[in-house]
Every structure is written in C-alpha cells, then in structure tokens.
Amino acid sequence: GNFYNYLSSPTAIFMLLFGHKNMPEAIAAMVLTKASVASFTFSFFISKKFNIQNPLTAAFGVLYACSGYFIAYYWNIMWLDAFYLFPLVMLGIEYLISKRKMKLYTITLALTLITNYYMGYMVCIFSVLYFLYYYLSSFAFTETYFGKLAKREKGIKGFFVWSYNNLRNSKFFDCGVRFAFSSVGAALLSAFALLPVYFVLMNCSATSGTFPQEFKTYFSIFDFLANHLAYLDPTIRSSGTDVLPNVYCGMLTVMLVPLYIFSNKVSFKEKIMSVGLLGVMFASFYTNYLDYIWHGFHFPNDLPYRFSYMYSFILLVLAFKAVTFIKEYTNRQIIGVGVATAFFIIFVQE
C-alpha cells in the first residue's frame, strides 16, 4: 500500500542513486525531472495536435509545467507522475478517435494508474469527458466510416435492419468500443498494482466517507475568476478564507482564451463544447457533490482541488489554438482584450 501510494514512480530511482544522507537533493532532482518532463509532454501534445513545431510549443509547455497546481503541490512528488503523463493520455484519446490507434492511450493510462492509483482515478474520469469533448467537437454524431447508410425500410424488420446498419457503421460507436476496450486493457495491465492496493485501502480510514446529504458551494464566482491572475497565494490547505482551485497558468492564457471565443476560425460547435467542458470542471470545483466524486468518494482532509491541473490544461490548449490565429484578429479585438484584462486586474486589486 505504501509503495504504490508514494514510491512507484520511475523517478524513485534517484533515492537509490543519491543515498539516504542526500535525500533532500534526491527529492529536488525528482521534482525538477518531473517538471521538465511535464513541459515536454505538453509541448509534444500541442505540437502533434496542431501539427506545429516551433519555440511557441516549448513556451506553452513551460506554462503547463509551472502552473498554479505545480507551484502549490510540487512537494507531493507522488502526484506529479500523473501531471506529466496526463497530456500523453489525452493525445492517446485523440489518436484513438482520429486514427483508430489504441496503443498510446492504453499504455499511458496504465502507467498513470501504476504510478499513483489515486491520481489515475481522476485521470480516468477526465478521460471520459475528454473523449466526448474531442469527438463531438471534431466529428458529427451521425458520422460513419463506410459511406452512406441504407434507407430505412417499412415495418419492424426494416427498423431493426436500419438500426443495426446504423450501429455497425457508426464512427461514434466504433470509437466508443475502442475507448472502452482500451480503458479496460489499461486497468488489466495495472491490476498487479491496483488489486493489492484495493484490499489494503478497504480498511483505511482515509478512504471512508458518506455521500454529502446537503448541496453546498465553496467560493464566489468572482474570486474564482480572480484566481486566474498572477501574484496570488496558491491554495494548499482546506482551512482559511481563500480556498480556491489552483488554476493559474500564465497571464497570456487570460488574454488568449477570450480571443479563442471571438475567433471566426473556430466553429460554433467547438466553442460550445469547449465552454461546456470548462463549465463541467468549474462545477466540479464549486459544488460539494462533484468534488466528493472527483476525490474518490471522499472529501480530502487537506490539499483541496487535486485535479485542478486538468482545468489549466484545457485553458492552455484553447489559448494555443487562439495564438495560432493571431494574425486573423483585428487590432480592435486584440486591444479590447488587453484593456479588459487591465481593468479586471485593477478591479480585483481594489
């Protein structure tokens, strides 16, 4: 139980290399390595997603690796493996849908579950959300792989034949089955770690809890928006007056995401899906019901919003897409976003 909770990271080898007397240096090396790898994996994700390879992808990798989540929780070294594997899991989902390739998603999800089952559980939840988001943003629900569907014939038999052909040729159904099989495959690959840990945790007080009886919210929406800005204290403990998700990922993101919404290059359907996904993540922070589910059906004793880096991930992806269209925006749009950001900062400060 302790090994798969704290020590199953590949970077744990540093503790053997540095030795017992140099454990602080070993932990520092682990943190630095994981931050560097997180920067690389996010850069790799956006370079493959947008088919772009330039220094800008590296810059956004740094924004992800040095986001508010990392600043707050970098000392929880057992959580950082999911942090750097997460972009690869999401890239695997995109490959599964667009290229029908299952290997990357299966392997990276299995590695996430092995390195830390707790963070892996949250990645599994988001994987379902991202699968729906990416598919519905990029493809029509009725899209098929094998041409047009046959016309529906009359009668009950005709209905069943038409329904069968619909299901057999459906791209969404095909991707859904592949996604389900890959997810189960990842769980089976990591079962040697998950099953023993499950039996250990059955008698652990940290995993006990009951579903909340009353609906509650945690913070004001204005404070949440203000927490996207720089120079704010990160949230580390659940006690205090300013217990907010760590969602900061660069002031550049604050200005680029509105430009993404204004862009004529982005379809209305994709904008709706993107805003909807951000809304689901916000509701997960804001309400006690969803917060309870995200944290493994248990309210954390401290260190709240342990999945907030996923929200920052979405923001950075939208911001990068916006910056690729920077020449398409009018001067009025760019200046307007800059002035609005400046006024919002002043308003928050006051």
Side-chain angles (χ1 to χ4, degrees):
N2 283 335
F3 179 83
Y4 285 113
N5 209 354
Y6 303 107
L7 299 170
S8 54
S9 167
T11 59
I13 190 69
F14 283 121
M15 291 187 284
L16 298 178
L17 297 177
F18 281 77
H20 179 72
K21 293 182 179 180
N22 300 308
M23 197 56 60
E25 288 76 13
I27 293 175
M30 293 170 70
V31 172
L32 177 62
T33 299
K34 293 182 182 187
S36 301
V37 175
S39 180
F40 165 75
T41 56
F42 187 83
S43 299
F44 183 76
F45 169 83
I46 55 178
S47 67
K48 293 298 183 181
K49 179 179 178 64
F50 297 106
N51 195 25
I52 294 175
Q53 293 182 352
N54 59 31
L56 193 61
T57 60
F60 272 77
V62 174
L63 289 179
Y64 176 75
C66 297
S67 60
Y69 177 88
F70 177 80
I71 298 301
Y73 295 143
Y74 72 89
W75 49 278
N76 272 295
I77 53 176
M78 66 280 191
W79 291 357
L80 297 183
D81 295 280
F83 182 63
Y84 68 71
L85 286 169
F86 181 73
L88 298 181
V89 177
M90 297 305 107
L91 183 62
I93 292 175
E94 295 199 2
Y95 279 3
L96 184 149
I97 294 174
S98 61
K99 301 181 180 181
R100 306 178 81 187
K101 294 182 178 180
M102 305 159 62
K103 186 184 298 184
L104 179 62
Y105 170 68
T106 304
I107 293 175
T108 53
L109 182 61
L111 286 174
T112 305
L113 291 168
I114 292 170
T115 54
N116 192 271
Y117 61 89
Y118 179 57
M119 302 305 290
Y121 161 80
M122 299 179 194
V123 172
C124 287
I125 294 178
F126 189 86
S127 294
V128 176
L129 297 176
Y130 195 79
F131 172 84
L132 295 173
Y133 161 75
Y134 180 72
Y135 184 91
L136 297 177
S137 297
S138 307
F139 306 98
F141 186 75
T142 56
E143 191 165 336
T144 66
Y145 279 118
F146 309 108
K148 296 181 179 180
L149 296 175
K151 293 182 179 180
R152 178 180 169 181
E153 300 178 5
K154 295 181 179 180
I156 297 178
K157 181 180 178 181
F159 172 77
F160 280 108
V161 170
W162 179 79
S163 300
Y164 170 75
N165 287 332
N166 245 336
L167 195 63
R168 182 172 62 89
N169 295 332
S170 170
K171 182 181 178 74
F172 180 78
F173 180 75
D174 178 86
C175 292
V177 170
R178 289 174 181 273
F179 178 73
F181 270 98
S182 298
S183 300
V184 172
L188 292 176
L189 286 173
S190 55
F192 71 91
L194 298 179
L195 287 176
V197 169
Y198 170 75
F199 289 110
V200 169
L201 293 177
M202 286 179 64
N203 299 316
C204 179
S205 61
T207 58
S208 60
T210 56
F211 201 86
Q213 300 299 314
E214 297 182 0
F215 177 80
K216 294 181 180 179
T217 58
Y218 290 132
F219 46 78
S220 74
I221 297 176
F222 177 80
D223 288 342
F224 175 77
L225 293 175
N227 216 44
H228 290 74
L229 303 179
Y231 299 105
L232 298 176
D233 292 334
T235 297
I236 299 177
R237 303 198 176 279
S238 300
S239 57
T241 56
D242 297 323
V243 183
L244 296 162
N246 296 297
V247 294
Y248 172 73
C249 50
M251 286 302 300
L252 186 64
T253 308
V254 174
M255 293 182 281
L256 285 172
V257 170
L259 288 176
Y260 169 86
I261 302 299
F262 296 146
S263 176
N264 295 325
K265 294 286 187 178
V266 182
S267 67
F268 179 75
K269 181 178 70 171
E270 182 180 336
K271 292 177 185 178
I272 292 295
M273 294 303 302
S274 299
V275 173
L277 184 58
L278 290 174
V280 170
M281 297 305 296
F282 168 77
S284 302
F285 300 140
Y286 190 59
T287 63
N288 60 334
Y289 289 166
L290 293 178
D291 183 60
Y292 182 83
I293 294 172
W294 272 96
H295 289 103
F297 293 88
H298 175 75
F299 286 120
N301 297 325
D302 233 327
L303 316 177
Y305 312 117
R306 302 176 182 187
F307 55 95
S308 59
Y309 68 93
M310 300 176 183
Y311 177 89
S312 299
F313 173 88
I314 305 167
L315 287 183
L316 286 168
V317 172
L318 302 185
F320 187 85
K321 188 161 189 176
V323 83
T324 59
F325 301 142
I326 198 68
K327 294 182 179 180
E328 306 295 330
Y329 300 112
T330 64
N331 291 336
R332 181 180 297 179
Q333 287 176 318
I334 295 175
I335 294 173
V337 168
V339 171
T341 303
F343 273 106
F344 182 66
I345 292 171
I346 296 170
F347 189 56
V348 168
Q349 186 180 30
E350 291 301 319

